[in-house]
Amino acid sequence: MCGIIGYIGEEDAVPIIIEGLKKLEYRGYDSAGIAVYTENGFDVLKQKGRLSGLEEKLSGGFPQSHQGIGHTRWATHGEPSDINSHPHLGTDSKIAIVHNGIIENYKQLKEYLESKGVVFASQTDSEVIAQLAEYYYEGDIMDTVCKVSSRLEGSYALGIMCSDDPNTLIAVKKDNPLIIGISEHGNLIASDVPALLKHTNKVYYLDDNEIAVLKSDSINFFDFDMDEVDKTLETITWSMDSAEKGGYPHFMLKEIMEQPKVLRDTINSMMTDTENNRILEEIDIRKFDKIIITACGSAYNAGVVSKYVFEELCRFPLIEVELASEFRYKNSVINDKTLVILVSQSGETADTIAAMREAKSKGAVTLSIVNVIGSTIAKESDYTIFTAAGPEIAVATTKAFSAQLVLLYFLAVRFSKKLGRLDEALYEKLEQEIVSLPDKATEVLEHIDFIQKYASNSVAYKSVFFIGRNIDYAIALEGSLKLKEISYIHSEAYAGGELKHGTIALIDGENTLVVGIACCKRLFPKTLSNIEQVLSRGANVLFVSNIEQVTTDEKTSKITIPDIYDLFSPSLSVIALQLFSYYVAANRGCDIDKPRNLAKSVTVE
Ligand code: M6R
């Protein structure tokens, strides 16, 4: 959570920082702030709330500068307020910092500094970094940075400026992402690639316990012992347009509409002569006796879908799906015969990183499915395959989720083949079914007008339940998460058969909408009878199905999606569910791309 950016170069730092923060705002939007260096020292402006508030304040006048740092905050320690916003300065205003992460021992450090007479201005853990730096500072900022880093426990990506050393911008990383961009007019630091794309596609990925020293025309890297480190300059393939709304009112809608392309690109990434394919070939599934899929949020839901696919296709004896936040503390029975599959768009989710490290420490082999190249999970897992979703900006994931699903299908099909469970003909058929997904996704998107209209009449529900069986239940989890996170309507997902064991008591006549997902053909009659049960208790029903039989009336509406191999149908039904959530939220006037209390990359526990 939180986004940081810094610039040093020939141009005015202020617009570069503000534009960069706009691209990072998905990481947190409780407050924003900027500090620039001028001949009078640091000028700092901070504002509680969205970045637009800071921009308004800036329009009242702010000095130009060739060097500055900026921050967009997701509050952890200390309420969202102007004073708790970053950048933070030490008491003597000599050192300014922006921080993404959590300093776990900040209380001890704060007490220590207070005992030495340091007076703190904010309630944040981050201020301790600026104060500690000033406390240690004796004229050599690099020496100070190393000393401070050795005292900090927790996670941090830092941008640091020192007023005695105005031509230097320092970046430090431990357990939170930080990227260094090199452009024609200067050098930049940022928490994520989209913030840099306007200026460069040439980047260095800072590793843990590394320091970058940026001047306007040079960058050097060091470890915490001050030994110089060699790093490789990488080229980003994402285009600048991919991080823009491109005429859509929200990133979420743009990203929903991009799904046919994302599916196509991700499918292509699994064809012969690709890196993803080569990596998958390397994994001999026959060596393992257990597969654990672990992730958070929607990525976890993708894992739940894939468990059904793995079980059906691979007939593998032990396949588990675990929430990463549970897995990391669970003392699971795993060893070198366990394949742990990690799924993460950002590759920076704290719980998923911890789950990966836990799995590795117990000898398991880790395979990650990640969207962001250079991310921690991508770098640390034994094997990584990448989704080709491009930058996903909306907090609610859509296209990255779809890309994860497709790679998980491929995994299941390829593993199944290696295990000797598929004959060539079925193997070919399944791969062809996956290849047909992009065109069929386009067909689902053609329902947009109906869904928009239906959603506009669905804004007043107190509760929405998503039900389905088997694979339809798995995708119901994602439909429900999407709706609640962006529209704030209470919603739950239930396995159809569970309703009668308690949940049906919640059906409150026409105050309740039930979204029935029925794409698993063999279970269709069962789902249908569950739907009858809620209809007879007065609920309204929206059906998402590839089965023609469903008749509609004033209480039942239907979105028909193209037919496909049952196990892959979640890739189509989810698009209808995403559009539904999107338009419900839009009609409720919600801040769709930045839902309250959330941030896209959950880099804290
Ligand atoms: O970056 P990750 O895929 O690891 O993120 C996992 C979850 O935080 C994420 O899927 C979250 O649930 C989304 N907001 C859901 O739309």
Side-chain angles (χ1 to χ4, degrees), residues 295-300 343-349 352 377 394-398 400 404 478 481-482 485 598-602:
C296 299
S298 293
Y300 168 80
V343 188
S344 176
Q345 186 283 129
S346 61
E348 298 293 350
T349 300
T352 315
I377 295 175
V395 164
T397 180
T398 52
Q404 289 163 354
E478 177 60 8
L481 176 58
K482 236 24 2 133
E485 76 178 320
L598 291 174
K600 188 153 186 75
S601 283
V602 186

Side-chain angles (χ1 to χ4, degrees), residues 148-164:
V148 169
S149 303
S150 71
R151 294 291 309 272
L152 299 179
E153 288 168 20
S155 58
Y156 46 89
L158 298 171
I160 304 172
M161 296 193 298
C162 175
S163 59
D164 286 349

Side-chain angles (χ1 to χ4, degrees), residues 466-497:
F466 291 75
I467 65 165
R469 285 168 179 262
N470 191 271
I471 203 89
D472 295 323
Y473 163 58
I475 205 63
L477 295 168
E478 177 60 8
S480 170
L481 176 58
K482 236 24 2 133
L483 185 69
K484 69 181 84 146
E485 76 178 320
I486 60 167
S487 77
Y488 319 141
I489 292 179
H490 169 253
S491 104
E492 304 287 342
Y494 290 104

